[in-house]
Short mmCIF file of all heavy atoms in Angstrom, two decimals:
data_model
loop_
_atom_site.label_atom_id
_atom_site.label_comp_id
_atom_site.label_asym_id
_atom_site.label_seq_id
_atom_site.Cartn_x
_atom_site.Cartn_y
_atom_site.Cartn_z
N ILE R 169 45.28 -36.20 74.54
CA ILE R 169 45.48 -36.94 73.29
C ILE R 169 46.72 -37.83 73.33
O ILE R 169 47.07 -38.46 72.33
CB ILE R 169 45.57 -35.99 72.08
CG1 ILE R 169 46.69 -34.96 72.26
CG2 ILE R 169 44.23 -35.32 71.84
CD1 ILE R 169 46.90 -34.06 71.06
N ASP R 170 47.40 -37.90 74.48
CA ASP R 170 48.48 -38.88 74.57
C ASP R 170 47.88 -40.28 74.47
O ASP R 170 46.84 -40.56 75.06
CB ASP R 170 49.22 -38.74 75.91
CG ASP R 170 50.19 -37.58 75.90
OD1 ASP R 170 50.60 -37.16 74.80
OD2 ASP R 170 50.53 -37.07 76.99
N PRO R 171 48.53 -41.17 73.71
CA PRO R 171 47.97 -42.52 73.56
C PRO R 171 47.80 -43.21 74.91
O PRO R 171 48.66 -43.10 75.78
CB PRO R 171 49.01 -43.23 72.69
CG PRO R 171 49.74 -42.15 71.99
CD PRO R 171 49.76 -41.00 72.93
N THR R 172 46.71 -43.92 75.06
CA THR R 172 46.48 -44.73 76.24
C THR R 172 46.45 -46.20 75.83
O THR R 172 46.37 -46.51 74.63
CB THR R 172 45.13 -44.38 76.90
OG1 THR R 172 44.07 -44.72 76.00
CG2 THR R 172 45.05 -42.89 77.21
N ALA R 173 46.53 -47.08 76.80
CA ALA R 173 46.45 -48.51 76.48
C ALA R 173 45.16 -48.80 75.73
O ALA R 173 45.13 -49.59 74.77
CB ALA R 173 46.53 -49.35 77.76
N ARG R 174 44.08 -48.14 76.14
CA ARG R 174 42.79 -48.36 75.49
C ARG R 174 42.77 -47.80 74.08
O ARG R 174 42.27 -48.44 73.15
CB ARG R 174 41.68 -47.72 76.34
CG ARG R 174 40.28 -47.79 75.73
CD ARG R 174 39.85 -49.21 75.51
NE ARG R 174 38.53 -49.28 74.88
CZ ARG R 174 38.08 -50.30 74.21
NH1 ARG R 174 38.83 -51.37 74.05
NH2 ARG R 174 36.88 -50.29 73.68
N SER R 175 43.32 -46.59 73.86
CA SER R 175 43.29 -45.99 72.52
C SER R 175 44.14 -46.81 71.55
O SER R 175 43.79 -46.97 70.38
CB SER R 175 43.78 -44.54 72.56
OG SER R 175 45.18 -44.45 72.81
N ILE R 176 45.27 -47.36 72.02
CA ILE R 176 46.11 -48.20 71.17
C ILE R 176 45.38 -49.49 70.83
O ILE R 176 45.43 -49.97 69.69
CB ILE R 176 47.45 -48.49 71.88
CG1 ILE R 176 48.26 -47.19 72.02
CG2 ILE R 176 48.25 -49.54 71.13
CD1 ILE R 176 49.48 -47.31 72.90
N GLU R 177 44.68 -50.05 71.80
CA GLU R 177 43.90 -51.27 71.57
C GLU R 177 42.78 -51.02 70.56
O GLU R 177 42.55 -51.83 69.65
CB GLU R 177 43.31 -51.76 72.89
CG GLU R 177 42.47 -53.02 72.76
CD GLU R 177 41.82 -53.40 74.08
OE1 GLU R 177 42.18 -52.83 75.12
OE2 GLU R 177 40.93 -54.27 74.06
N VAL R 178 42.09 -49.89 70.69
CA VAL R 178 41.01 -49.54 69.76
C VAL R 178 41.56 -49.37 68.35
O VAL R 178 40.99 -49.87 67.38
CB VAL R 178 40.30 -48.25 70.23
CG1 VAL R 178 39.40 -47.70 69.13
CG2 VAL R 178 39.48 -48.51 71.48
N GLN R 179 42.69 -48.67 68.23
CA GLN R 179 43.29 -48.45 66.92
C GLN R 179 43.67 -49.77 66.26
O GLN R 179 43.38 -49.99 65.08
CB GLN R 179 44.53 -47.56 67.05
CG GLN R 179 45.26 -47.34 65.74
CD GLN R 179 46.53 -46.54 65.92
OE1 GLN R 179 46.58 -45.61 66.72
NE2 GLN R 179 47.58 -46.89 65.20
N ALA R 180 44.30 -50.66 67.01
CA ALA R 180 44.71 -51.95 66.46
C ALA R 180 43.50 -52.78 66.04
O ALA R 180 43.52 -53.45 64.99
CB ALA R 180 45.54 -52.72 67.48
N SER R 181 42.43 -52.72 66.82
CA SER R 181 41.22 -53.48 66.49
C SER R 181 40.58 -52.95 65.21
O SER R 181 40.17 -53.73 64.34
CB SER R 181 40.23 -53.40 67.66
OG SER R 181 39.02 -54.04 67.33
N ARG R 182 40.51 -51.64 65.08
CA ARG R 182 39.94 -51.04 63.87
C ARG R 182 40.81 -51.33 62.65
O ARG R 182 40.31 -51.62 61.56
CB ARG R 182 39.78 -49.54 64.07
CG ARG R 182 38.65 -49.17 65.04
CD ARG R 182 38.68 -47.70 65.38
NE ARG R 182 37.50 -47.31 66.13
CZ ARG R 182 37.35 -46.13 66.73
NH1 ARG R 182 38.35 -45.24 66.68
NH2 ARG R 182 36.24 -45.83 67.37
N GLU R 183 42.11 -51.24 62.83
CA GLU R 183 43.04 -51.54 61.74
C GLU R 183 42.85 -52.98 61.28
O GLU R 183 42.80 -53.26 60.07
CB GLU R 183 44.47 -51.32 62.23
CG GLU R 183 45.55 -51.74 61.25
CD GLU R 183 46.91 -51.77 61.91
OE1 GLU R 183 47.13 -52.64 62.79
OE2 GLU R 183 47.75 -50.92 61.57
N HIS R 184 42.75 -53.89 62.24
CA HIS R 184 42.58 -55.30 61.90
C HIS R 184 41.30 -55.52 61.09
O HIS R 184 41.34 -56.18 60.04
CB HIS R 184 42.54 -56.14 63.18
CG HIS R 184 41.99 -57.51 62.99
ND1 HIS R 184 42.59 -58.45 62.18
CD2 HIS R 184 40.86 -58.10 63.46
CE1 HIS R 184 41.88 -59.56 62.19
NE2 HIS R 184 40.82 -59.37 62.95
N ARG R 185 40.19 -54.99 61.55
CA ARG R 185 38.92 -55.21 60.85
C ARG R 185 38.96 -54.63 59.45
O ARG R 185 38.51 -55.27 58.48
CB ARG R 185 37.77 -54.58 61.65
CG ARG R 185 37.43 -55.30 62.93
CD ARG R 185 36.07 -54.87 63.46
NE ARG R 185 35.96 -53.43 63.62
CZ ARG R 185 36.25 -52.79 64.75
NH1 ARG R 185 36.68 -53.46 65.81
NH2 ARG R 185 36.12 -51.47 64.83
N ALA R 186 39.48 -53.42 59.31
CA ALA R 186 39.50 -52.76 58.01
C ALA R 186 40.41 -53.49 57.03
O ALA R 186 40.04 -53.74 55.87
CB ALA R 186 39.94 -51.30 58.17
N GLU R 187 41.63 -53.84 57.46
CA GLU R 187 42.57 -54.48 56.55
C GLU R 187 42.13 -55.90 56.21
O GLU R 187 42.31 -56.35 55.08
CB GLU R 187 43.98 -54.45 57.16
CG GLU R 187 44.53 -53.04 57.25
CD GLU R 187 45.95 -52.97 57.79
OE1 GLU R 187 46.52 -54.04 58.11
OE2 GLU R 187 46.49 -51.86 57.90
N ALA R 188 41.55 -56.61 57.18
CA ALA R 188 41.05 -57.96 56.89
C ALA R 188 39.93 -57.89 55.85
O ALA R 188 39.86 -58.72 54.94
CB ALA R 188 40.54 -58.62 58.17
N LEU R 189 39.07 -56.89 55.99
CA LEU R 189 37.96 -56.76 55.04
C LEU R 189 38.47 -56.37 53.65
O LEU R 189 37.93 -56.82 52.63
CB LEU R 189 36.96 -55.72 55.55
CG LEU R 189 35.62 -55.64 54.81
CD1 LEU R 189 34.95 -57.00 54.76
CD2 LEU R 189 34.70 -54.63 55.47
N SER R 190 39.52 -55.55 53.61
CA SER R 190 40.06 -55.17 52.30
C SER R 190 40.65 -56.36 51.58
O SER R 190 40.54 -56.49 50.36
CB SER R 190 41.12 -54.06 52.46
OG SER R 190 42.33 -54.57 52.98
N VAL R 191 41.28 -57.30 52.32
CA VAL R 191 41.81 -58.52 51.70
C VAL R 191 40.67 -59.43 51.29
O VAL R 191 40.72 -60.07 50.23
CB VAL R 191 42.77 -59.24 52.67
CG1 VAL R 191 43.25 -60.57 52.07
CG2 VAL R 191 43.97 -58.36 52.98
N ARG R 192 39.65 -59.50 52.11
CA ARG R 192 38.48 -60.33 51.76
C ARG R 192 37.86 -59.85 50.45
O ARG R 192 37.42 -60.66 49.63
CB ARG R 192 37.46 -60.30 52.89
CG ARG R 192 36.25 -61.20 52.60
CD ARG R 192 35.28 -61.28 53.76
NE ARG R 192 34.15 -62.12 53.39
CZ ARG R 192 34.14 -63.43 53.43
NH1 ARG R 192 35.22 -64.07 53.85
NH2 ARG R 192 33.07 -64.12 53.07
N THR R 193 37.85 -58.54 50.23
CA THR R 193 37.32 -58.01 48.97
C THR R 193 38.10 -58.56 47.78
O THR R 193 37.52 -58.86 46.73
CB THR R 193 37.42 -56.46 48.99
OG1 THR R 193 36.62 -55.96 50.07
CG2 THR R 193 36.93 -55.87 47.68
N VAL R 194 39.41 -58.72 47.97
CA VAL R 194 40.26 -59.24 46.89
C VAL R 194 40.04 -60.74 46.69
O VAL R 194 39.96 -61.22 45.55
CB VAL R 194 41.75 -58.96 47.20
CG1 VAL R 194 42.65 -59.64 46.19
CG2 VAL R 194 42.01 -57.46 47.22
N LEU R 195 39.94 -61.48 47.79
CA LEU R 195 39.92 -62.94 47.71
C LEU R 195 38.52 -63.54 47.52
O LEU R 195 38.40 -64.73 47.24
CB LEU R 195 40.55 -63.54 48.97
CG LEU R 195 42.07 -63.37 49.10
CD1 LEU R 195 42.56 -63.87 50.45
CD2 LEU R 195 42.80 -64.10 47.97
N HIS R 196 37.49 -62.75 47.69
CA HIS R 196 36.12 -63.25 47.57
C HIS R 196 35.32 -62.45 46.54
O HIS R 196 34.22 -61.97 46.85
CB HIS R 196 35.42 -63.21 48.93
CG HIS R 196 35.94 -64.19 49.92
ND1 HIS R 196 35.29 -65.35 50.25
CD2 HIS R 196 37.07 -64.18 50.67
CE1 HIS R 196 35.99 -66.01 51.16
NE2 HIS R 196 37.08 -65.33 51.43
N PRO R 197 35.82 -62.29 45.33
CA PRO R 197 35.06 -61.52 44.35
C PRO R 197 33.86 -62.32 43.84
O PRO R 197 33.91 -63.55 43.75
CB PRO R 197 36.08 -61.30 43.22
CG PRO R 197 36.96 -62.51 43.30
CD PRO R 197 37.07 -62.85 44.76
N THR R 198 32.80 -61.62 43.52
CA THR R 198 31.65 -62.28 42.86
C THR R 198 31.71 -62.08 41.35
O THR R 198 30.94 -62.70 40.61
CB THR R 198 30.33 -61.72 43.39
OG1 THR R 198 30.28 -60.30 43.15
CG2 THR R 198 30.19 -61.97 44.89
N SER R 199 32.64 -61.24 40.90
CA SER R 199 32.82 -61.03 39.47
C SER R 199 34.26 -60.61 39.21
O SER R 199 34.85 -59.86 39.99
CB SER R 199 31.86 -59.94 38.95
OG SER R 199 31.96 -58.76 39.72
N VAL R 200 34.82 -61.13 38.12
CA VAL R 200 36.22 -60.86 37.76
C VAL R 200 36.27 -60.44 36.30
O VAL R 200 35.62 -61.05 35.45
CB VAL R 200 37.10 -62.11 37.97
CG1 VAL R 200 38.51 -61.88 37.44
CG2 VAL R 200 37.14 -62.50 39.45
N VAL R 201 37.07 -59.40 36.02
CA VAL R 201 37.31 -59.01 34.64
C VAL R 201 38.81 -59.11 34.36
O VAL R 201 39.63 -58.66 35.17
CB VAL R 201 36.78 -57.59 34.34
CG1 VAL R 201 37.44 -56.55 35.25
CG2 VAL R 201 37.01 -57.23 32.87
N VAL R 202 39.16 -59.71 33.25
CA VAL R 202 40.56 -59.81 32.83
C VAL R 202 40.80 -58.77 31.74
O VAL R 202 40.09 -58.74 30.73
CB VAL R 202 40.89 -61.22 32.30
CG1 VAL R 202 42.35 -61.29 31.84
CG2 VAL R 202 40.64 -62.27 33.38
N ILE R 203 41.80 -57.92 31.96
CA ILE R 203 42.11 -56.83 31.03
C ILE R 203 43.52 -57.02 30.50
O ILE R 203 44.47 -57.14 31.28
CB ILE R 203 42.00 -55.46 31.73
CG1 ILE R 203 40.61 -55.29 32.36
CG2 ILE R 203 42.27 -54.33 30.75
CD1 ILE R 203 40.49 -54.06 33.23
N GLY R 204 43.66 -57.08 29.20
CA GLY R 204 44.97 -57.23 28.59
C GLY R 204 45.24 -58.63 28.07
O GLY R 204 46.37 -58.96 27.72
N ALA R 205 44.21 -59.47 28.00
CA ALA R 205 44.39 -60.83 27.49
C ALA R 205 44.52 -60.79 25.97
O ALA R 205 43.85 -60.02 25.28
CB ALA R 205 43.22 -61.71 27.89
N SER R 206 45.38 -61.65 25.46
CA SER R 206 45.58 -61.77 24.01
C SER R 206 44.90 -63.04 23.50
O SER R 206 44.63 -63.98 24.25
CB SER R 206 47.08 -61.82 23.71
OG SER R 206 47.32 -62.26 22.40
N ARG R 207 44.64 -63.05 22.19
CA ARG R 207 44.06 -64.25 21.59
C ARG R 207 45.11 -65.35 21.42
O ARG R 207 44.78 -66.49 21.10
CB ARG R 207 43.42 -63.91 20.24
CG ARG R 207 42.08 -63.20 20.40
CD ARG R 207 41.52 -62.71 19.08
NE ARG R 207 42.19 -61.51 18.62
CZ ARG R 207 41.69 -60.68 17.69
NH1 ARG R 207 40.52 -60.96 17.13
NH2 ARG R 207 42.35 -59.62 17.32
N LYS R 208 46.39 -65.02 21.65
CA LYS R 208 47.45 -66.03 21.55
C LYS R 208 47.40 -66.95 22.77
O LYS R 208 47.41 -66.49 23.91
CB LYS R 208 48.82 -65.35 21.48
CG LYS R 208 49.01 -64.49 20.24
CD LYS R 208 50.38 -63.83 20.24
CE LYS R 208 50.56 -62.96 19.01
NZ LYS R 208 51.88 -62.27 19.03
N ARG R 209 47.40 -68.24 22.51
CA ARG R 209 47.23 -69.20 23.59
C ARG R 209 48.38 -69.15 24.61
O ARG R 209 48.17 -69.39 25.80
CB ARG R 209 47.11 -70.62 23.02
CG ARG R 209 46.88 -71.68 24.09
CD ARG R 209 46.63 -73.05 23.50
NE ARG R 209 46.52 -74.05 24.56
CZ ARG R 209 45.44 -74.27 25.30
NH1 ARG R 209 44.34 -73.55 25.06
NH2 ARG R 209 45.44 -75.18 26.25
N ASN R 210 49.58 -68.81 24.16
CA ASN R 210 50.72 -68.81 25.07
C ASN R 210 50.91 -67.46 25.77
O ASN R 210 51.93 -67.25 26.42
CB ASN R 210 52.00 -69.21 24.34
CG ASN R 210 52.35 -68.23 23.22
OD1 ASN R 210 51.55 -67.33 22.91
ND2 ASN R 210 53.52 -68.39 22.63
N SER R 211 49.94 -66.57 25.67
CA SER R 211 50.07 -65.28 26.34
C SER R 211 49.62 -65.39 27.80
O SER R 211 48.87 -66.29 28.18
CB SER R 211 49.21 -64.22 25.63
OG SER R 211 47.84 -64.52 25.78
N THR R 212 50.08 -64.43 28.61
CA THR R 212 49.76 -64.44 30.04
C THR R 212 48.26 -64.33 30.28
O THR R 212 47.67 -65.09 31.06
CB THR R 212 50.49 -63.28 30.74
OG1 THR R 212 51.90 -63.48 30.63
CG2 THR R 212 50.11 -63.20 32.21
#
Side-chain angles (χ1 to χ4, degrees):
I169 57 175
D170 282 338
T172 65
R174 176 59 182 158
S175 71
I176 293 170
E177 179 185 349
V178 167
Q179 177 184 322
S181 176
R182 289 170 171 170
E183 174 192 68
H184 163 63
R185 290 196 305 269
E187 293 183 359
L189 191 54
S190 74
V191 176
R192 183 175 178 81
T193 299
V194 173
L195 289 174
H196 290 256
T198 59
S199 53
V200 173
V201 59
V202 179
I203 305 172
S206 166
R207 284 173 283 198
K208 296 179 180 178
R209 182 174 175 80
N210 62 352
S211 67
T212 297

